[in-house]
Amino acid sequence: MRPENWQLWLRKNEKLLIIIVSGALIILGWLMGYFSPLARAILMTAAALAAGFPIAKTAWYALRAEVISIHLLVTIAALGGILIGDQWEAAAVTFLFALGEFLEARTLAKTRDAIGQLLDLVPAAATVLRDGQEIEVDPSEVGTGESVLVRSGGKIPVDGIVTKGSASVNQAAITGESIPVEVTSGSQVFSSSIVEAGYLEIQAQRVGEDTTFARILHMVEEAQERKAPTQKFIEKFSRWYTPAIIALAALTGLFTRNLHTALTLLVIGCPGALVISTPISMVAGIGNAAKSGVLVKGGEFLEKAGKVTLIAFDKTGTLTTGKTEVTAISALLGDEEEVLRLAAAVEKGSEHHIGSAILRRASSFPLPAAEGIQVFAGGGISGQVEGKRILVGNRRLLEQHNIILPPESEEWLTAREEMGETPVPVAAEGKVIGAIAIADTLRPEARETAAKLQQMGKKVVMLTGDNPRTAGTIARQLGLDEFQANLLPGDKVEAIKSYQAQGQIVAMVGDGINDTPALAAADLGIAMGAAGTDAAIETADLTLMSDDLDRLIGALGLGRATLANIRQNVIFAVAVVLLLVAGVLGQKVFLATGMLAHEASVMLVILNAMRLLAWKPNTR
Amino acid sequence: MAYVNITARLEQLTCPDCANMIASVVGRLKGVEQAEVRYATSKLLVRFDESLITWEAIDKTLAKLGYLVRSKVQQEG
């Protein structure tokens, strides 16, 4: 190796070398101790100096910035140990501290590695088509609108729309789901997905830091930093504890003249296991969630997920697929086609899932223009078509407009509602001319998910704007505990508040687009199938990136596991603190044993948190 | 003034207090406008005036404290 490489190697492995040297000196010291107490004292002092020098250096630079660090406490304890003639204890304290730090850093690296593993998924290069030439560029340098080429085995470097080709794409980086999806012209694809087979030309929409994946990474990091209430409490405690122990050490030294005990108090002055107990479990829990396509905004939400007692579902898009379809049309006046045509004309501007179903069905007709469109939230829509006032909406909207529902229409509506469909009456000039029935497919896993949630001891309810009969049919099919129908968006908020008033901890699951207030009102707002929809990710506390209800069970289970993990860590750490203080004051614990207990407890807390990385929902 | 933002990934931070300590020490250097150390990700976010202090000087201070920088990203402005 060249000299500069040696230097680099030394610098990188400095900590390990110091531990080896110091450890060797300690062993030598013990051996020599049989022959000469003086040699032993010298060797032990040398060991303490070797391991203690970097600690003292850190302590010194921190002190210059008026920060009292744990390094300072350890330095004083070690120096004190040498001065009162207990060189072995001084050596042990510094050696164990250095060894502890070294081992903890290595273990922590593994705990924190969920992010690292995600980072490995970031694409390194992009192939763009410029002036008919294929050029390789950095993914962040692709311009929006440019054509990007990805071949088999390649990573998609941008978020965009497929313009040419088809492929099976593994979107695990985004959704946590490793079963590939088939994409073709017109499909939305995400950066960091892998093209397993096929060829794609993609029109770039978002690049670099703006891609969904980059934002996920960013959010996970932010989430891991965000302090949960438990953590804030512990930090308050340690801010009080450390100075108290230092004061106690000073008083003990002054009044009892028992320097040994005073120095030992310094060693246990930083409640290490306690201060890392919560953040480390959170890092592991949030990391695990991110890998399975569950984005958590912060540790406190993972804690909440573990405490939820009631899950409220918005019907459309969560319990159902949200892919609505017209199933039947009834006409009282004129023919069915006319009913559909007029309804579609007013729904043209609507983004509601009922409107889009009607439009899809009417896509083969030329639609007349509609004027004076008026949207009634939770009711329907109206507009002027071919000189007639057309109204498409639910019973409540008809009542509000004093439109009477004829008995034959009422019969038809009831029958459709009992089948779990949503029939919508259509009126022209104040008279009902017919109705259109719309059905939404239940998610295949919805029933099982509800059952599993109930097995976990949670109440499962549905909050919907749909009519009571349709809602009732669906609730019965899924075996829900309760449902509330005919709700306006504001009513959903009220419903959630009344559950909370009953003492329930409420999670609201929505598609994140039209139920923002309800998501915000719940203790835990969960958005589903949110890959690519920024608004949902912004609003929700917890986002299920894939369109799979099973992930909900996993997320709640992980929340519970994280909560339990934190509790174990905190209880253990508090016990260690109490035992150490009692042990020191009772003259049972001295410098070496104090430091050993301190480092070992920190290590155990980290190892316990690591179990969360391997946690898997056992329901899958 | 030429401000520079650097995000540096440090060696693994073992205790949250160490993160606070590093932030305080770096934050007090002349020319450093803002320093934040994140425990969960072992990251240093620092904003400084290039005409008053260099990244090399900050790096040296970190080394004195016993923390090596593993990688860094720079943003202008």
Side-chain angles (χ1 to χ4, degrees):
Chain A
M1 266 193 278
R2 293 220 304 266
E4 50 264 49
N5 290 349
W6 266 108
Q7 257 180 351
L8 201 70
W9 186 85
L10 267 178
R11 213 182 132 178
K12 273 199 174 146
N13 295 286
E14 190 186 277
K15 285 178 183 164
L16 182 61
L17 284 175
I18 284 172
I19 292 165
I20 293 171
V21 168
S22 167
L25 285 169
I26 290 176
I27 293 170
L28 206 59
W30 277 115
L31 295 176
M32 294 298 283
Y34 290 109
F35 310 108
S36 144
L38 180 67
R40 179 178 168 225
I42 292 171
L43 284 166
M44 289 296 180
T45 306
L49 290 177
F53 180 69
I55 304 170
K57 199 164 124 186
T58 305
W60 168 244
Y61 284 103
L63 195 62
R64 286 214 316 196
E66 292 166 28
V67 178
I68 294 182
S69 62
I70 180 173
H71 303 87
L72 183 66
L73 304 186
V74 173
T75 307
I76 295 174
L79 281 178
I82 294 172
L83 291 179
I84 62 172
D86 209 334
Q87 296 86 357
W88 143 242
E89 295 251 36
V93 161
T94 49
F95 171 75
L96 287 173
F97 184 78
L99 180 66
E101 291 265 296
F102 181 79
L103 294 177
E104 285 151 24
R106 300 215 129 191
T107 323
L108 278 169
K110 291 211 181 85
T111 313
R112 289 168 171 150
D113 203 34
I115 283 271
Q117 286 175 8
L118 286 177
L119 279 172
D120 288 341
L121 298 172
V122 174
T127 311
V128 289
L129 209 56
R130 282 182 191 162
D131 309 320
Q133 297 264 321
E134 286 183 25
I135 309 174
E136 194 145 300
V137 298
D138 188 276
S140 61
E141 283 160 15
V142 177
T144 47
E146 275 195 300
S147 275
V148 179
L149 314 182
V150 191
R151 297 191 168 82
S152 263
K155 265 183 210 160
I156 297 176
V158 295
D159 284 5
I161 298 283
V162 176
T163 53
K164 219 192 246 177
S166 64
S168 58
V169 175
N170 181 337
Q171 299 190 327
I174 307 283
T175 61
E177 180 58 70
S178 51
I179 298 168
V181 288
E182 298 302 319
V183 300
T184 173
S185 204
S187 303
Q188 166 93 52
V189 289
F190 301 105
S191 166
S192 304
S193 309
I194 297 163
V195 174
E196 293 198 338
Y199 166 82
L200 294 176
E201 268 185 50
I202 299 156
Q203 187 179 23
Q205 289 178 320
R206 289 190 292 200
V207 303
E209 290 296 299
D210 296 327
T211 59
T212 303
F213 186 71
R215 292 157 47 104
I216 290 176
L217 275 184
H218 190 70
M219 261 186 51
V220 172
E221 284 206 1
E222 295 279 317
Q224 293 187 329
E225 290 306 331
R226 223 167 125 155
K227 286 174 187 165
T230 325
Q231 191 179 347
K232 285 184 192 150
F233 171 76
I234 288 171
E235 283 184 9
K236 254 185 221 157
F237 169 79
S238 67
R239 227 166 274 151
W240 164 89
Y241 175 83
T242 304
I245 289 289
I246 295 174
L248 187 64
L251 289 175
T252 309
L254 271 176
F255 290 108
T256 68
R257 302 268 156 199
N258 188 340
L259 292 176
H260 206 148
T261 302
L263 293 174
T264 310
L265 278 171
L266 288 182
V267 166
I268 63 158
C270 176
L274 191 58
V275 291
I276 71 160
S277 57
T278 315
I280 282 308
S281 302
M282 287 295 178
V283 165
I286 293 172
N288 180 327
K291 277 196 294 183
S292 50
V294 177
L295 284 190
V296 192
K297 277 275 175 66
E300 61 186 291
F301 302 114
L302 207 52
E303 275 189 21
K304 279 211 189 115
K307 291 180 185 163
V308 161
T309 58
L310 182 146
I311 322 275
F313 286 94
D314 176 46
K315 181 178 67 100
T316 309
T318 53
L319 292 173
T320 66
T321 56
K323 289 183 188 109
T324 44
E325 218 182 337
V326 171
T327 49
I329 304 169
S330 103
L332 294 178
L333 297 167
D335 61 1
E336 286 153 11
E337 202 170 285
E338 180 71 0
V339 172
L340 181 66
R341 197 177 64 92
L342 291 172
V346 283
E347 294 279 7
K348 215 188 300 179
S350 160
E351 281 166 11
H352 197 270
H353 55 267
I354 291 201
S356 50
I358 293 175
L359 283 170
R360 266 198 302 279
R361 181 62 174 264
S363 60
S364 55
F365 305 126
L367 293 181
E371 282 163 16
I373 295 289
Q374 213 181 338
V375 176
F376 305 93
I381 194 163
S382 79
Q384 202 77 17
V385 184
E386 293 170 349
K388 282 182 280 194
R389 187 96 202 131
I390 303 295
L391 193 128
V392 185
N394 55 20
R395 285 193 176 85
R396 183 168 44 201
L397 191 73
L398 294 188
E399 262 168 50
Q400 280 166 5
H401 287 76
N402 298 317
I403 300 172
I404 299 157
L405 200 61
E408 58 263 54
S409 191
E410 178 62 57
E411 222 169 86
W412 193 81
L413 294 188
T414 310
R416 286 288 155 185
E417 283 166 357
E418 273 164 1
M419 291 163 70
E421 297 178 357
T422 308
V424 201
V426 181
E429 291 296 303
K431 277 206 177 86
V432 174
I433 57 165
I436 302 173
I438 286 142
D440 194 353
T441 346
L442 290 178
R443 278 188 200 282
E445 74 278 16
R447 194 190 154 84
E448 210 189 325
T449 302
K452 280 181 194 161
L453 288 171
Q454 285 160 338
Q455 274 167 26
M456 288 165 85
K458 298 177 199 303
K459 212 169 156 183
V460 184
V461 306
M462 176 170 78
L463 305 178
T464 177
D466 218 333
N467 69 79
R469 217 169 283 131
T470 308
T473 305
I474 290 176
R476 266 193 308 281
Q477 282 175 0
L478 295 179
L480 305 184
D481 292 306
E482 217 177 294
F483 71 91
Q484 295 192 29
N486 262 342
L487 300 179
L488 298 171
D491 298 337
K492 291 188 187 173
V493 173
E494 289 310 312
I496 287 169
K497 283 189 179 153
S498 73
Y499 285 129
Q500 286 167 333
Q502 292 167 18
Q504 303 276 16
I505 298 172
V506 181
M508 172 79 202
V509 188
D511 60 8
I513 299 160
N514 42 34
D515 34 34
T516 312
L519 289 184
D523 295 288
L524 184 72
I526 303 176
M528 252 194 88
T533 51
D534 292 352
I537 300 177
E538 300 291 333
T539 329
D541 303 320
L542 200 149
T543 309
L544 309 177
M545 298 302 281
S546 76
D547 228 5
D548 180 359
L549 273 176
D550 247 356
R551 290 296 150 93
L552 179 65
I553 310 274
L556 296 182
L558 180 64
R560 196 147 73 171
T562 308
L563 203 58
N565 198 279
I566 290 172
R567 285 206 182 119
Q568 294 152 6
N569 275 353
V570 170
I571 290 170
F572 171 71
V574 168
V576 168
V577 165
L578 292 177
L579 277 175
L580 278 179
V581 174
V584 174
L585 294 179
Q587 305 273 313
K588 297 279 187 227
V589 172
F590 296 107
L591 286 173
T593 33
M595 186 54 95
L596 185 65
H598 172 92
E599 295 297 339
S601 62
V602 169
M603 202 63 199
L604 280 173
V605 162
I606 299 173
L607 289 174
N608 188 40
M610 265 182 89
R611 294 191 308 128
L612 279 177
L613 286 180
W615 188 90
K616 276 196 186 88
N618 45 20
T619 47
R620 273 220 122 185
Chain B
M1 270 183 287
Y3 278 109
V4 180
N5 293 306
I6 282 184
T7 304
R9 219 164 256 276
L10 303 177
E11 273 180 289
Q12 298 291 330
L13 300 181
T14 50
C15 63
D17 278 348
C18 306
N20 297 337
M21 183 255 296
I22 298 167
S24 305
V25 172
V26 173
R28 277 169 167 263
L29 294 173
K30 198 171 180 285
V32 172
E33 191 184 76
Q34 212 185 2
E36 185 191 335
V37 178
R38 300 183 160 184
Y39 170 66
T41 41
S42 298
K43 264 187 177 180
L44 163 74
L45 282 71
V46 62
R47 177 177 167 80
F48 58 94
D49 184 344
E50 253 189 329
S51 60
L52 293 174
I53 191 166
T54 59
W55 165 252
E56 283 63 39
I58 295 172
D59 191 25
K60 219 176 227 175
T61 306
L62 290 169
K64 280 179 191 161
L65 282 174
Y67 295 92
L68 296 184
V69 175
R70 299 194 306 169
S71 66
K72 70 177 172 80
V73 187
Q74 179 170 340
Q75 296 111 24
E76 300 295 327

